[in-house]
């Protein structure tokens, strides 16, 4: 599962500057929602999009060192709490600034549009995630599986899938209550020809490094479970 890292920064906003082989580019001001809290949440949602995966697909010649020189953040200006999403490029990747910026601008614009346009779908996905994880906790595997979609059912059997879903009591004991973390839309996923995926991530009150994620695919207008994964303590 992807590792999720949140950069939460408050300070003086810099529109675009270049210092010591580093350039900071403001890609978008996040003011799509009336409430400040929702715009901040949108920043977290976009921040946790799987940029590394799709960067590697878009630029297969990039080395790991190149990828380390690309950083993305959501940023809150101290003076008026304005939320922005920004890109930081360093060293060698600065020579490819235009195409990297184009990739991020296109991706961020699509994500913002989907987060606003599909707000009701996302709300439903969050509720279904909470419901589905509660079913796993209670051992209601048939109920969980009944909302799985064709993608998941073609990849595994119910018996094989639930053989991997173990230690549910341990998860809650160690982590405590679940806490909503973020959500993303993906037009496509790696190694799949399917489209329209909605991902919901939850962390835990006692251990924010723990994570559970459910991926839904929109099938005939209905959200169907396409995958489940978690990140737990060793």
């Amino acid at each position: 599962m992807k590792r999720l890292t949140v950069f939460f920064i408050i300070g003086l906003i810099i529109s675009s500057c270049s210092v010591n082989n580093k350039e900071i580019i403001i890609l978008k001001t996040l003011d799509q929602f009336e409430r400040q809290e929702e715009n901040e949440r949108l920043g977290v949602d976009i921040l946790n999009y799987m940029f590394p995966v799709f960067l590697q697909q878009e630029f297969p010649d990039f080395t790991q060192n190149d990828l380390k020189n690309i950083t993305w953040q959501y940023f809150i200006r101290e003076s008026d709490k304005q939320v922005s999403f920004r890109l930081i490029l360093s060293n060698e990747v600065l020579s490819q600034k235009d195409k990297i910026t184009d990739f991020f601008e296109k991706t961020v614009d699509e994500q913002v549009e989907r987060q606003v346009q599909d707000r009701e779908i996302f709300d439903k996905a969050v509720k279904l995630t909470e419901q589905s994880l509660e079913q796993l906790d209670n051992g209601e595997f048939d109920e969980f599986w009944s909302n799985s979609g064709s993608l998941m059912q073609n990849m595994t059997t119910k018996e094989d899938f639930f053989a991997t879903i173990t230690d549910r009591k341990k998860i809650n004991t160690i982590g405590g209550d679940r806490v909503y973390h973020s959500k993303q839309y993906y037009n496509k996923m790696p190694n799949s020809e399917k489209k329209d995926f909605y991902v919901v991530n939850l962390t835990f009150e006692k251990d924010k490094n723990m994570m559970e994620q459910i991926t839904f695919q929109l099938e005939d207008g209905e959200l169907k479970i396409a995958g489940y994964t978690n990140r737990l303590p060793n």
Side-chain angles (χ1 to χ4, degrees), residues 20 71 99-100 122 139 162 208:
N20 295 330
T71 304
K99 68 177 187 179
I100 296 172
F122 274 116
F162 288 117
K208 295 297 190 293

Side-chain angles (χ1 to χ4, degrees), residues 8-153:
F8 186 81
I9 299 175
I10 298 178
L12 178 65
I13 198 165
I14 305 174
S15 60
S16 181
C17 64
S18 180
V19 180
N20 295 330
N21 264 356
K22 178 183 292 186
E23 185 163 349
I24 303 173
I25 305 156
I26 300 301
L27 294 178
K28 194 171 189 69
T29 299
L30 304 178
D31 59 356
Q32 278 66 29
F33 299 109
E34 293 183 4
R35 295 173 57 208
Q36 169 74 13
E37 179 184 348
E38 290 181 280
N39 286 318
E40 291 181 18
R41 190 178 300 131
L42 175 61
V44 177
D45 291 336
I46 300 172
L47 183 72
N48 287 283
Y49 181 88
M50 292 192 296
F51 286 112
V53 173
F54 292 101
L55 269 169
Q56 193 68 70
Q57 286 190 356
E58 186 78 8
F59 309 111
D61 293 336
F62 273 13
T63 66
Q64 286 302 309
N65 188 60
D66 289 330
L67 296 177
K68 288 179 182 178
N69 285 317
I70 304 172
T71 304
W72 49 96
Q73 302 174 332
Y74 87 97
F75 185 87
I76 301 177
R77 188 162 65 186
E78 190 174 48
S79 59
D80 58 9
K81 304 300 181 184
Q82 187 181 70
V83 183
S84 63
F85 188 87
R86 73 186 195 178
L87 177 66
I88 303 174
L89 304 179
S90 306
N91 305 320
E92 293 84 358
V93 298
L94 281 168
S95 64
Q96 304 186 67
K97 168 188 169 182
D98 290 343
K99 68 177 187 179
I100 296 172
T101 302
D102 287 346
F103 166 80
F104 270 89
E105 286 180 340
K106 179 180 69 176
T107 305
V108 170
D109 284 346
E110 180 186 63
Q111 192 66 201
V112 169
E113 180 182 359
R114 284 291 180 170
Q115 293 281 349
V116 175
Q117 171 184 306
D118 294 352
R119 188 173 181 178
E120 291 185 4
I121 299 177
F122 274 116
D123 287 345
K124 185 175 182 180
V126 171
K127 291 179 182 178
L128 282 174
T129 297
E130 294 170 347
Q131 173 185 310
S132 299
L133 292 176
E134 185 175 343
Q135 289 171 342
L136 291 182
D137 291 342
N138 295 333
E140 299 170 355
F141 297 150
D142 288 340
E143 289 82 352
F144 181 96
W145 189 257
S146 68
N147 196 41
S148 62
S150 60
L151 182 61
M152 186 169 178
Q153 293 180 9

Side-chain angles (χ1 to χ4, degrees), residues 142-174:
D142 288 340
E143 289 82 352
F144 181 96
W145 189 257
S146 68
N147 196 41
S148 62
S150 60
L151 182 61
M152 186 169 178
Q153 293 180 9
N154 289 333
M155 290 179 62
T156 186
T157 65
K158 180 172 72 171
E159 291 73 22
D160 287 345
F161 174 74
F162 288 117
T164 68
I165 306 299
T166 59
D167 294 331
R168 303 304 301 172
K169 291 183 179 179
K170 179 181 177 182
I171 289 175
N172 291 328
T173 300
I174 295 175

